[in-house]
Amino acid sequence: MPRISAALPSVPLVLFVLIGLVPAGAEAQQTVSDPTPPATTGWMEDSPFRPLELPAANRLRTGSGAPGPDYWQQKVDYRMTASVDTAGSLLTGTSTITYHNRSPELLPYLWLKLDANLCDPAGTAAKLNQPPLMFGDAVFDFSCAGGAGMTVSRVESRGRALRTTDAGTRMRVELPEPLRPGQTIEIETAWSWPMPDYGYGRMGRDGTLYQVAQWYPRVAVFDDLSGWNIDPFLGAGEFYQEFGDFDVELTVPAGYVVTATGSLVNDREVLTAEQRERLGRADSSEEAVAVITREEALAARERPVDGTKTWKFSAKDVRDFAFAMAPDFRWDASDWNGIRIQTFYRPEAVSWEEANRMSWVSIKHFSERLAMYPWPHATTVEGPNEGMEYPMLTFVPGYADREALYWVLTHEFGHEWYPMLVGSNERLHPWMDEGFNTFINIGSVEEYFAGGDYGEWISKQPLEEWAAHAVSGKEQPMALPPTQQHDLYWAAYFKPALMMHLLRTEVLGPEVFDRALAEYTEAWSFKHPGPADFFRAMEDAAGARLDWFWRGWIETAARLDHSIETVWPGDPENPPWVHIRSRGDMIMPVELHFEFVDGSRETARLPVEMWNLGPDFVYRLPGGKQLETARLDPREVYPDDDRTNDAWPSGP
Ligand SMILES: [Zn+2]
């Protein structure tokens, strides 16, 4: 529930009641006849500046928001073989999981995540049988549309079967003996999964095109913040994953082309000499080179090939592995800074002829601002999925509209930084990946569509979404987990984007903010930051205490309502002043625009310290001039709940 008391303790009850009875703002914007500024009262125990209750800093996570000298993180490597039988969309696989216990704890068991079991007709999600989540204008269907779960037929170590306990999308595996700190264990698994055509908005199939993810038993994250992270997969909230290395062999019908997380290591076996020559050219070309042309893709569709082919991929320091395959892919490739930029799409998706350029600009844009893209390729695949991200590989629909295509394409690539590189916990804190990502997407759109309407408008979108979504009394704190959010579109995407945008432009300034965000990104690359680490990292790098900011934006659903209360316009003896109040429970810096009787104008930008003493502030202007008008938030950048009390004399 939103707090409503913070800004109101100084208001007598009778006035509080009156405010409710008369038109909004009618008590404010009065011109006073007494030049003495009003006495103001202070915060009591509810000061918005009081420190947040954060986990204590320690040698793992320091007070400066950096990984400490004792920071540890588990490492999980996978060697896998899998085959896809396209006749029944059946995936069968085996894996050797190498689990490195780098924690200081003894581990008697570990947890596997079987996200595919969201599709199990007997699972929690099926029992709850919830309708799709409305997601802005879009419908987010987390169901499996008649899919089935994953059958794990083997879990063993050194030839000995391990005892397992099935818990829906999770499986507890008893180790032969407790795994000591510093020890490593190899676990063998085998499984099969009839892949659904529609996989809870994260993967799926369209005819012969497959986008495959969450397809193998994955070890859950064990960390110092919550031990085993075993929150079930219910559809909302994505995938918190350990980093590790992957060697994967995928056996598919011989006519298929496969792309995946990781580098293709047996290109001589699966590509033609001509394709390899074209890839070689692409590796020194900023312009897209067609590795498979439109004509070749169309011809391949008409020419069934018997047998199978095995594609081998290898990836280092990634938190997941996904792949896509189709017999009729077009394949474009280019290079930016040694990174192979690849786009795979079907001949019908003509808008995708521009997608390689879009990808190139996106990877460059984010690399130059956050941290260098760390993997050998960045690949996006057109297909049925509404948009989904995996390391080095993203899925994006075949939109005809350039703006829609760029927005989703750059969004999914933005996820390569949050959370593929900065591995925060998506199951609990989607604002740290979806939100940061939506924020950085704004700059990417501004660059790609510079000078055009879309590029000019995009930074205004979060505030427009606020007007539509942030309904007072219904808005939930963005700190709540995604499974408890009624409006994930707002709480996980656009509210955090608005938060980051205002932190950048109005609170810290672009230069300070950009450096702080890049330093946070660098410090937590390939690691697992929590919210407190982000708060501390930003505060330290920016040189600002921001408890008030995180409280208002993340921990509560606070409302912002700055108002002009009373104004002394000034006379020859007494300089003018303006009494401003924070009537909501969110505070922000204030911008005031003044016009004077002599025709001159002035703008004042007041830092948030104006609210140090209480919810009232008297801004004192120099003498010798008489005020004619005053206006709060003249650029209309803030989500101010009541604009009728923002101007003096009153009026819209
Ligand atoms: Zn996203």
Side-chain angles (χ1 to χ4, degrees), residues 132-156:
L133 189 73
M134 291 310 292
F135 202 79
D137 296 333
V139 179
F140 243 54
D141 187 353
F142 295 135
S143 81
C144 246
M150 176 182 273
T151 304
V152 179
S153 54
R154 176 156 53 100
V155 181
E156 58 186 44

Side-chain angles (χ1 to χ4, degrees), residues 238 387 389 411-412 415 433-434 437-438 493:
E238 286 170 352
E389 66 280 7
H411 177 84
E412 304 315 334
H415 278 306
D433 71 297
E434 295 298 354
N437 185 21
T438 303
Y493 292 73

Side-chain angles (χ1 to χ4, degrees), residues 463-485:
L463 195 58
E464 292 186 10
E465 302 289 352
W466 167 79
H469 289 267
V471 181
S472 180
K474 289 193 173 167
E475 199 187 7
Q476 297 170 283
M478 70 166 89
L480 281 179
T483 47
Q484 293 169 33
Q485 295 282 358

Side-chain angles (χ1 to χ4, degrees), residues 286-299:
E286 295 192 345
E287 301 294 321
V289 172
V291 182
I292 298 177
T293 66
R294 180 171 189 279
E295 292 66 33
E296 289 162 350
L298 286 168

